[in-house]
Amino acid sequence: MTETPLAPDGIPLPGAPAARPLAGRIARHWAPRTPPRRGLLAFLGPGLITGASDDDPSGIATYSQVGAQFGYSMAWVMLFIWPLMVAIQEISGRIGRVTGDGIAGNIREHYPRSLLLVIVSLLLVANIINLGADLGAMGAALQLLLHGSARLYVVGFAVVCALLEVFVHYESYVRVLKWTAVSLFAYVATALVVDMPWGKVAYHTLVPSVVWSKDYLVSIVAVLGTTITPYCFFWQSSEEAEDERIDPAAHRLIDAPGEARAEIGRIRIDTYLGMGFSNLISLFIIITTAATLNAHGITNIQTSSQAAEALRPIAGEFAFAVFAAGIIGIGLLAVPVLAGSAAYALGEAFGWPTGLSRLPKDARAFYGTIAVATLIGVFINFVHLDPIKALFWSAVLNGIVAVPLMAMIMVMARQKRIMGAFVVPRPLWAMGWLSTGVMAIAVAAMFATW
């Protein structure tokens, strides 16, 4: 009997003549594979996925309300926020790639455990509430398109997201997330099929037009809170560390300074384009709802599905369907990112084996956290919890977590005992502190106008 040729790690080689045993097939399925990067989509990674997930159904609801209530006058906010987002996300990505650990792992190693547990606990609660609201929005959007039971759709979406995250090979799953991000172009298509005054859009995007009213300032706070969110910091940092772990040719930059120039350049480009893509889509949502809902006197939109439904009589069936389909598409990306960032944070906090590249049996607690977070998100949709109140409390918790977490990230990024020779340069550090300061003002304003 001919034996199956094995690689040094015991995994059957491709093209082996004998049938592989089940264990060997599973091992081969999960073994890291790093094909040569080809094309822009392959080059982009954590930055693109993080940026796209930031336009989750909850964010779509916020941007739709802003466009419906204030028209084009808040379009400039998305251009203003972009460099602030880029700074804090690039720094988060650098921390993961330099140290080989996510943000929670670095806090665990270098700072008091009590501080870590408070931050991770608040992140978990905020993520799960947000996850539940996103599942609800996806179910409502599919109900608009197909009718049927929104709750049944919620369960279906939760099962699909959890199964993909747990059982699909890491690199294949990352490709799925990247292609899911393309669904956000639905909002570009919607803007292109409605009557859009592009000159007015360009003016309000480039020239700030602040309305000194409580509602306007609260809406700016809401946009900042929706756009600069803690789960994005955790996700991008942990994914950079994960990508380094699964690539046999890659190393922590603190151990391999020769890789730094290429990797830091990649992180910068990935983050600039990913956050730029995110904010461009947010801008299109604002101007689409401004050109349709606000122009027709509809100024009170509470959920993303309400925004889609309101488009139907104004912009037609195509715009309605594309807008609703976009909610579902981006939800399929955002829900796994919310559950995954919670699992990374909790796993790193307690020193568990973490990572979507691991076999489920090797990271039971990590994958268990993903499953439990998703299950609680489903449960939220069955207890008659007001989705608007849920999103409000999620925003409050995100605000509470964001400012001290951003300050801690900025401190870590300049400490040589953590970053070695790769402490962030002063211009990036200054922009990161500016982002932290703006976020602090936004949170203070949120509480002042409560």
Side-chain angles (χ1 to χ4, degrees):
M1 180 172 131
T2 306
E3 292 187 2
T4 303
L6 298 177
D9 57 4
I11 298 172
L13 292 170
R20 300 187 185 97
L22 178 60
R25 293 201 301 273
I26 293 174
R28 177 169 175 74
H29 172 73
W30 284 85
R33 298 191 295 271
T34 53
R37 296 180 184 273
R38 289 180 184 152
L40 180 61
L41 196 63
F43 181 78
L44 299 175
L48 173 66
I49 296 170
T50 303
S53 72
D54 205 36
D55 289 325
D56 66 331
S58 304
I60 293 168
T62 301
Y63 304 131
S64 297
Q65 173 60 30
V66 165
Q69 188 172 1
F70 299 106
Y72 308 101
S73 66
M74 210 174 282
W76 65 273
V77 176
M78 303 319 303
L79 186 62
F80 170 76
I81 291 177
W82 178 52
L84 304 181
M85 286 179 68
V86 166
I88 195 66
Q89 290 298 148
E90 181 182 341
I91 292 168
S92 299
R94 284 185 183 226
I95 289 173
R97 191 64 180 83
V98 168
T99 66
D101 285 314
I103 289 171
N106 278 289
I107 296 174
R108 176 174 176 264
E109 185 174 348
H110 300 285
Y111 295 95
R113 183 177 178 81
S114 57
L115 180 62
L116 171 62
L117 293 179
V118 169
I119 288 176
V120 170
S121 298
L122 290 172
L123 176 80
L124 282 172
V125 175
N127 275 22
I128 291 171
I129 293 174
N130 206 338
L131 189 157
D134 284 353
L135 285 171
M138 294 162 68
L142 190 56
Q143 184 182 45
L144 289 176
L145 293 172
L146 302 180
H147 306 293
S149 170
R151 287 182 173 180
L152 182 62
Y153 296 145
V154 165
V155 174
F157 284 131
V159 170
V160 168
C161 290
L163 290 178
L164 286 174
E165 203 158 7
V166 175
F167 292 108
V168 175
H169 184 280
Y170 175 73
E171 291 180 345
S172 300
Y173 184 64
V174 168
R175 284 195 290 272
V176 170
L177 292 181
K178 290 179 185 178
W179 280 109
T180 306
V182 175
S183 65
L184 284 172
F185 280 110
Y187 299 107
V188 178
T190 308
L192 295 177
V193 299
V194 301
D195 187 17
M196 187 71 64
W198 291 107
K200 193 173 183 179
V201 169
Y203 174 82
H204 283 287
T205 303
L206 298 174
V207 181
S209 51
V210 178
V211 178
W212 296 106
S213 71
K214 176 183 174 180
D215 287 346
Y216 190 88
L217 296 177
V218 168
S219 294
I220 291 178
V221 171
V223 170
L224 280 166
T226 300
T227 308
I228 302 177
T229 52
Y231 78 83
C232 292
F233 315 153
F234 280 93
W235 176 264
Q236 185 160 355
S237 181
S238 294
E239 283 302 285
E240 285 292 346
E242 180 94 348
D243 286 352
E244 178 267 318
R245 282 197 299 270
I246 69 165
D247 186 351
H251 310 85
R252 300 188 312 164
L253 297 187
I254 204 166
D255 297 328
E259 299 175 15
R261 183 175 181 181
E263 288 301 313
I264 289 176
R266 176 193 57 77
I267 291 170
R268 182 180 297 117
I269 294 171
D270 186 20
T271 305
Y272 268 81
L273 292 180
M275 299 307 123
F277 174 62
S278 171
N279 281 23
L280 181 66
I281 298 302
S282 304
L283 175 63
F284 270 102
I285 295 170
I286 290 172
I287 64 175
T288 297
T289 51
T292 52
L293 307 185
N294 178 268
H296 288 78
I298 301 172
T299 60
N300 186 21
I301 294 295
Q302 299 292 333
T303 66
S304 53
S305 56
Q306 282 182 13
E309 180 67 17
L311 279 174
R312 195 201 301 252
I314 297 170
E317 287 292 330
F318 178 77
F320 152 74
V322 170
F323 197 98
I327 295 169
I328 297 168
I330 198 55
L332 290 171
L333 185 153
V335 166
V337 170
L338 284 160
S341 62
Y344 275 117
L346 192 64
E348 291 172 8
F350 286 98
W352 299 337
T354 61
L356 295 170
S357 61
R358 297 182 188 273
L359 282 166
K361 68 182 180 65
D362 296 329
R364 289 188 178 95
F366 173 79
Y367 286 111
T369 303
I370 290 174
V372 170
T374 306
L375 181 63
I376 298 173
V378 172
F379 179 74
I380 288 173
N381 288 275
F382 284 80
V383 295
H384 304 291
L385 180 66
D386 185 337
I388 308 307
K389 289 183 178 178
L391 286 178
F392 171 77
W393 284 108
S394 175
V396 169
L397 289 173
N398 275 323
I400 292 171
V401 177
V403 177
L405 177 60
M406 291 170 75
M408 184 167 292
I409 289 170
M410 297 311 304
V411 171
M412 285 195 294
R414 287 290 296 177
Q415 289 191 337
K416 289 189 175 182
R417 67 190 175 100
I418 299 173
M419 301 291 286
F422 300 104
V423 295
V424 298
R426 288 194 178 276
L428 179 59
W429 181 73
M431 184 59 73
W433 274 115
L434 177 60
S435 178
T436 305
V438 169
M439 197 63 194
I441 293 170
V443 171
M446 176 180 68
F447 284 108
T449 56
W450 197 335

